């Protein structure tokens, strides 16, 4: 049961589900018009996009997914929680909903998953808004996350104490006063017990730092596929206080997309949509207006 108790006004959206071979894939589908596809990371869910969706759905169709194991999606215990599987799930949703001329808006793991879907379905994407994320290989990993990959300890910390999600609502933001009781409740609600935290742990374990990692090849394919979007409209909003996806990741992205636009936010952290949604929303609206879709395009 997907209860909104304690954060009803923060997340007043209707739930939709796609059956993925027996696993229910939850998504939001709000508004009408050009499609904005919101793809979250770990340990968040579609709740993270609520402020953007409340505003942008007045003029756009806003579709926001919950990865399997996250948010209001099912949380199977025996499931391939890999980058490839998450990309496959997203592409199935895109094809099922027949999303075209899509603008991807992604954060954290959503960057790799979203760009993975774009490299597989390039004809369905038109613009990209990527914030505090990566879609390329890196050997950089913060100590705070590396510790969570330690066998046994990481499992007990993440699944037993919900340490990853609980720490994030403090360590991923700079403006702590914005993390009200309702907001904290919303972020933690889907991850209330050991079983519900399976994907939170699997995402941490799935970071491919070495060639022998099962997801390394998938990430390499995504990285190599970025070049086809080199001339596409791209916006990089970036919280520069992020200790995970630091500004170094932004600079690396600009090597792939040298013509991209940026919105550097010095006072914002990893959860840039919490620290600076009042800056994000008008800048995204401006970006969309500056790069209109071709009239008559499919």
């Amino acid at each position: 049961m997907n209860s909104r108790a304690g954060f009803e006004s923060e997340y007043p959206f209707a739930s939709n589900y796609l059956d993925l071979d027996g696993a229910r894939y939850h998504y939001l589908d709000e508004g009408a018009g050009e499609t904005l596809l919101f793809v979250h990371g770990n340990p968040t869910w579609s709740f993270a996009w609520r402020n953007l969706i409340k505003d942008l759905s007045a003029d756009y169709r806003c579709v926001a997914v919950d990865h399997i194991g996250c948010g209001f999606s099912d949380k199977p215990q025996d499931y391939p929680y890999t980058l490839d599987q998450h990309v496959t799930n997203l592409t199935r949703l895109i094809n099922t909903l027949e999303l075209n001329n899509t603008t991807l808006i992604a954060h954290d793991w959503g960057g790799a998953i979203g760009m993975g879907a774009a490299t597989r379905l390039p004809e369905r994407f038109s613009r990209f808004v990527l914030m505090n994320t990566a879609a390329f290989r890196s050997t950089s990993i913060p100590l705070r996350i590396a510790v969570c990959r330690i066998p046994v300890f990481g499992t007990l910390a993440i699944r037993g104490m919900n340490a990853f999600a609980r720490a994030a609502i403090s360590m991923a933001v700079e403006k702590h006063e914005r993390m009200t009781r309702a907001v904290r409740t919303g972020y933690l609600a889907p991850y209330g017990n050991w079983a519900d935290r399976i994907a939170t742990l699997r995402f941490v374990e799935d970071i491919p730092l070495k060639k022998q990692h099962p997801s390394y090849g998938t990430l390499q394919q995504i990285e190599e596929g970025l070049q086809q979007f080199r001339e596409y409209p791209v916006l990089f909003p970036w919280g520069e206080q992020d200790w995970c996806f630091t500004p170094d990741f932004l600079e690396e992205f600009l090597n792939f997309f040298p013509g991209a636009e940026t919105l550097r936010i010095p006072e914002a952290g990893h959860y840039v949509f919490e620290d600076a949604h009042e800056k994000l929303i008008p800048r995204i609206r401006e970006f969309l207006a500056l790069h209109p879709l071709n009239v008559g395009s499919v």
Side-chain angles (χ1 to χ4, degrees):
M1 182 176 178
N2 296 330
S3 172
R4 291 167 166 78
F7 60 99
E8 301 90 339
S9 62
E10 292 285 346
Y11 192 78
F13 311 113
S15 289
N16 303 275
Y17 295 91
L18 175 66
D19 183 272
L20 295 176
D21 306 316
R24 293 199 316 162
Y25 191 53
H26 178 261
Y27 66 96
L28 305 179
D29 195 343
E30 299 282 322
E34 298 170 10
T35 299
L36 310 181
L37 176 61
F38 295 83
V39 186
H40 72 85
N42 185 40
T44 61
W45 57 294
S46 55
F47 179 83
W49 302 115
R50 68 196 184 283
N51 291 317
L52 278 68
I53 293 172
K54 287 176 183 177
D55 183 287
L56 294 168
S57 61
D59 301 290
Y60 298 92
R61 181 185 182 184
C62 296
V63 177
V65 301
D66 287 346
H67 304 303
I68 295 295
C70 302
F72 287 166
S73 289
D74 282 350
K75 301 174 177 65
Q77 300 302 291
D78 184 16
Y79 188 82
Y81 289 104
T82 61
L83 175 57
D84 178 75
Q85 186 63 55
H86 289 304
V87 172
T88 297
N89 294 344
L90 183 59
T91 58
R92 287 180 64 177
L93 180 81
I94 292 167
N95 284 328
T96 300
L97 298 183
E98 298 182 344
L99 304 182
N100 289 302
N101 274 329
T102 302
T103 299
L104 173 67
I105 301 179
H107 174 259
D108 191 89
W109 267 99
I113 296 169
M115 293 309 294
T119 58
R120 295 184 189 181
L121 302 171
E123 70 281 2
R124 294 191 180 272
F125 288 82
S126 297
R127 298 172 294 209
F128 301 95
V129 179
L130 306 174
M131 60 191 79
N132 295 81
T133 182
F136 45 79
R137 292 165 292 171
S138 173
T139 57
S140 174
I141 183 170
L143 178 61
R144 290 180 245 195
I145 293 178
V147 167
C148 292
R149 288 161 60 95
I150 298 174
V152 182
F153 175 83
T155 301
L156 291 174
I158 293 174
R159 300 193 69 180
M161 297 181 289
N162 203 19
F164 204 78
R166 287 189 179 280
I169 59 176
S170 173
M171 292 161 52
V173 295
E174 294 297 307
K175 298 181 180 179
H176 297 283
E177 69 278 4
R178 297 192 173 191
M179 303 303 284
T180 63
R181 179 183 295 274
V183 173
R184 295 196 306 271
T185 299
Y187 272 111
L188 297 178
Y191 309 114
N193 57 55
W194 177 281
D196 287 349
R197 298 166 193 155
I198 177 69
T200 309
L201 175 64
R202 295 291 180 256
F203 266 118
V204 171
E205 294 174 340
D206 198 47
I207 300 171
L209 299 176
K210 299 179 180 179
K211 286 185 178 180
Q212 56 267 37
H213 191 284
S215 288
Y216 187 92
T218 304
L219 185 58
Q220 182 176 359
Q221 289 176 349
I222 294 169
E223 177 184 327
E224 292 171 350
L226 295 180
Q227 58 84 26
Q228 66 190 294
F229 303 114
R230 189 177 177 89
E231 302 302 323
Y232 280 53
V234 180
L235 171 65
F236 290 113
W238 216 269
E240 294 192 307
Q241 296 302 315
D242 189 351
W243 50 267
C244 183
F245 290 100
T246 65
D248 289 343
F249 282 85
L250 170 58
E251 298 304 326
E252 183 67 21
F253 258 128
L254 292 174
N255 291 328
F256 291 98
F257 303 104
E261 301 169 36
T262 62
L263 172 63
R264 300 172 188 264
I265 309 176
E267 70 277 14
H270 183 56
Y271 284 6
V272 61
F273 34 71
E274 297 297 341
D275 282 333
H277 55 80
E278 71 278 14
K279 292 186 177 181
L280 273 180
I281 293 168
R283 184 64 183 88
I284 290 173
R285 282 187 170 277
E286 178 186 37
F287 170 75
L288 297 173
L290 284 171
H291 303 284
L293 301 178
N294 294 327
V295 176
S297 58
V298 178

